[in-house]
Amino acid sequence: MKEDIKVNLDNFNYKSLFRIWRYTSSKAGGVSKLYIIIKSLIRLIFLKIKFSETENKQLKIINSYPRKDYSNFIDKLTYNNNLGKCYLKYTFGFGHKWTYIKEVIKQRKLHKLELNETLLLYFLIKNNNIFLKYIYDEPVVILFAEMQIFENYIAQLAKQVGKYTIGLQHGFYSNDFNRHTVNSLNYKNVAVDEMLVWGKNTKDLLLEHNLDLKVTIVGRPSTHFLSKYDFHSKNDLPSSYVGILDAEEFSETNNKIIDIANELADKAGVKLFIKCHPSTNLKGRNLQSLILEDINCLGKTPHFIGYRSSLLLELAADHFFCIALNESPFLKNNSKPNSNSFYWKKLETEDISDYLYCTSIDAQTNILNAISKRNISTNQNNPSN
């Protein structure tokens, strides 16, 4: 690959690139923002990007955001098939050039970038050759979460040099309309050429906001925390109740989940547990003792209650007894209310079918087939690759 390949940053979609930061910035206080800016400054001065490939295979999934549930998802896709995985890490390196500084100043003025966006962009420009080398070596660029800044930048770079990009649906997408949520970042301003999604509802939502995007329904592999264990999931009598909490921005419905689950557990004379989203903040709420630590405490027939967590979808698809708040997007309009409550309904198969087309092992096969199909097409169109 030639050194310092020219990239036209004037045509980048910065609204797409910085959508995570702009959401975070809108929620963070002054001290938090300052801390983030200092980290960005230290990173751009002293560090560079390194691609860490854990599997020596041609087609790899890039993941730039370490999180256990994300890793479990990727492990399921890469186990015993033709896909590998690749993580972005930092390594020591300066590599500063006056041309990078001039370019980032130009883009700051042209696109009215704020300070941290300018620092982030300089770091990305500094790593252009590293990103481009990876892109040129891949027949198809596969991204686990394209809304993350590094993956989004890779997608936009790949498009500039004519490489096809595929993104994976990594979590539940629901139409939040005018409400500014983390979830809404997933389906607006998507940077890849094609998205592989779990079901029809996600496809419709993405196409509503991204007219030129190709969307393929593939389902979702089963990766939930009980997928490897034997439970009597069809028994209606609960051995315990588990409240499945959403991200911290849904604190109002999280509180409702805890209250209803507590009431149901008391009525049934069984234990109550909570399963937290990675961003859930329980500080000062005296709920630490309820966090599920040992699945053996659940008994053979745990019941689950939630609002919009993808975990609730997965469990319902695997025939666990799942309850959703009445305002849950999972419930169809014709869902029958529970005779004992105005606040929740039992999730049925027809409720989730449009969100989750299929689960393992069909979903894994569909994902691999969709990627392989694009890889074959790419190789036929570019026989020199």
Side-chain angles (χ1 to χ4, degrees):
M1 188 195 77
K2 295 180 180 179
E3 289 293 318
D4 293 323
I5 291 175
K6 296 295 182 183
V7 175
N8 187 358
L9 293 173
D10 295 355
N11 294 334
F12 262 56
N13 183 341
Y14 290 98
K15 189 174 182 180
S16 176
L17 181 65
F18 292 124
R19 64 195 200 261
I20 287 284
W21 161 248
R22 289 177 182 178
Y23 174 82
T24 303
S25 177
S26 70
K27 304 292 183 181
V31 175
S32 296
K33 286 183 184 178
L34 179 61
Y35 174 70
I36 293 170
I37 289 170
I38 292 172
K39 282 179 62 178
S40 293
L41 186 60
I42 292 171
R43 176 173 56 194
L44 77 82
I45 294 173
F46 296 108
L47 301 177
K48 296 188 80 171
I49 286 290
K50 174 185 178 182
F51 284 87
S52 177
E53 300 176 16
T54 59
E55 301 289 342
N56 187 22
K57 296 176 181 176
Q58 190 178 36
L59 290 170
K60 294 174 283 292
I61 301 171
I62 298 175
N63 179 25
S64 64
Y65 190 74
R67 211 172 90 173
K68 190 175 187 304
D69 54 337
Y70 290 176
S71 296
N72 291 343
F73 193 126
I74 295 172
D75 286 346
K76 195 85 169 186
L77 292 178
T78 57
Y79 175 74
N80 200 26
N81 62 35
N82 295 322
L83 291 177
K85 48 193 171 183
C86 180
Y87 296 96
L88 297 188
K89 297 184 177 181
Y90 297 119
T91 185
F92 179 79
F94 292 110
H96 303 288
K97 293 185 179 182
W98 176 241
T99 54
Y100 300 162
I101 297 173
K102 288 196 298 184
E103 182 64 38
V104 81
I105 291 173
K106 173 188 171 185
Q107 298 304 325
R108 176 183 171 88
K109 292 178 179 178
L110 186 63
H111 297 282
K112 297 180 173 58
L113 304 180
E114 51 103 288
L115 177 57
N116 194 52
E117 292 169 356
T118 305
L119 298 178
L120 287 168
L121 182 60
Y122 180 88
F123 181 73
L124 294 168
I125 294 171
K126 173 184 168 181
N127 287 279
N128 267 354
N129 286 337
I130 296 171
F131 290 134
L132 286 166
K133 183 181 184 308
Y134 178 90
I135 290 168
Y136 276 116
D137 287 344
E138 293 295 301
V140 177
V141 177
I142 309 167
L143 304 162
F144 181 70
E146 66 79 38
M147 31 86 85
Q148 299 295 338
I149 184 169
F150 293 153
E151 293 177 53
N152 187 286
Y153 189 76
I154 290 169
Q156 296 200 48
L157 274 183
K159 281 188 174 183
Q160 287 214 3
V161 299
K163 286 285 185 172
Y164 196 81
T165 54
I166 295 177
L168 304 180
Q169 180 183 351
H170 61 279
F172 169 63
Y173 299 0
S174 175
N175 194 341
D176 286 332
F177 300 98
N178 294 326
R179 185 178 180 186
H180 191 40
T181 64
V182 171
N183 165 72
S184 68
L185 305 180
N186 291 318
Y187 58 81
K188 295 179 180 179
N189 296 301
V190 172
V192 293
D193 296 300
E194 181 177 1
M195 282 290 295
L196 306 184
V197 302
W198 302 352
K200 178 181 179 299
N201 282 3
T202 308
K203 179 176 181 177
D204 293 345
L205 181 60
L206 282 166
L207 291 177
E208 179 183 344
H209 292 274
N210 307 271
L211 299 180
D212 297 327
L213 182 66
K214 177 178 172 58
V215 184
T216 304
I217 297 173
V218 292
R220 187 203 195 283
S222 300
T223 60
H224 62 79
F225 71 111
L226 298 181
S227 58
K228 298 179 181 178
Y229 299 90
D230 180 32
F231 285 85
H232 303 308
S233 54
K234 294 184 179 180
N235 191 333
D236 284 348
L237 295 176
S239 58
S240 60
Y241 275 94
V242 182
I244 300 176
L245 305 187
D246 296 298
E248 187 62 25
E249 62 186 338
F250 298 104
S251 57
E252 184 177 340
T253 45
N254 281 346
N255 290 336
K256 188 180 290 188
I257 289 168
I258 294 169
D259 290 342
I260 294 174
N262 186 47
E263 180 183 335
L264 291 172
D266 282 346
K267 186 176 180 180
V270 298
K271 289 184 177 180
L272 165 67
F273 300 96
I274 55 176
K275 187 75 174 170
C276 295
H277 184 274
S279 72
T280 306
N281 181 9
L282 296 179
K283 290 181 179 179
R285 297 171 66 182
N286 299 319
L287 296 172
Q288 296 290 338
S289 62
L290 298 180
I291 295 175
L292 179 63
E293 302 285 357
D294 182 1
I295 64 168
N296 293 313
C297 298
L298 294 176
K300 283 294 184 180
T301 56
H303 287 195
F304 301 88
I305 178 167
Y307 170 48
R308 54 184 288 162
S309 169
S310 57
L311 175 56
L312 193 68
L313 270 182
E314 284 192 80
L315 291 165
D318 280 352
H319 309 294
F320 284 87
F321 192 103
C322 292
I323 294 166
L325 301 185
N326 277 358
E327 56 265 55
S328 170
F330 299 155
L331 294 170
K332 291 189 174 180
N333 293 333
N334 60 355
S335 296
K336 296 179 180 179
N338 184 277
S339 59
N340 298 317
S341 175
F342 293 105
Y343 305 107
W344 55 268
K345 302 184 183 81
K346 182 178 181 293
L347 269 181
E348 305 291 352
T349 303
E350 55 266 27
D351 291 316
I352 65 171
S353 59
D354 286 341
Y355 284 107
L356 209 55
Y357 172 66
C358 63
T359 56
S360 296
I361 188 167
D362 291 340
Q364 291 157 248
T365 302
N366 291 342
I367 292 170
L368 181 59
N369 287 344
I371 292 172
S372 299
K373 181 179 178 181
R374 173 49 58 179
N375 185 36
I376 292 170
S377 175
T378 300
N379 288 334
Q380 289 174 344
N381 293 333
N382 301 282
S384 60
N385 284 349

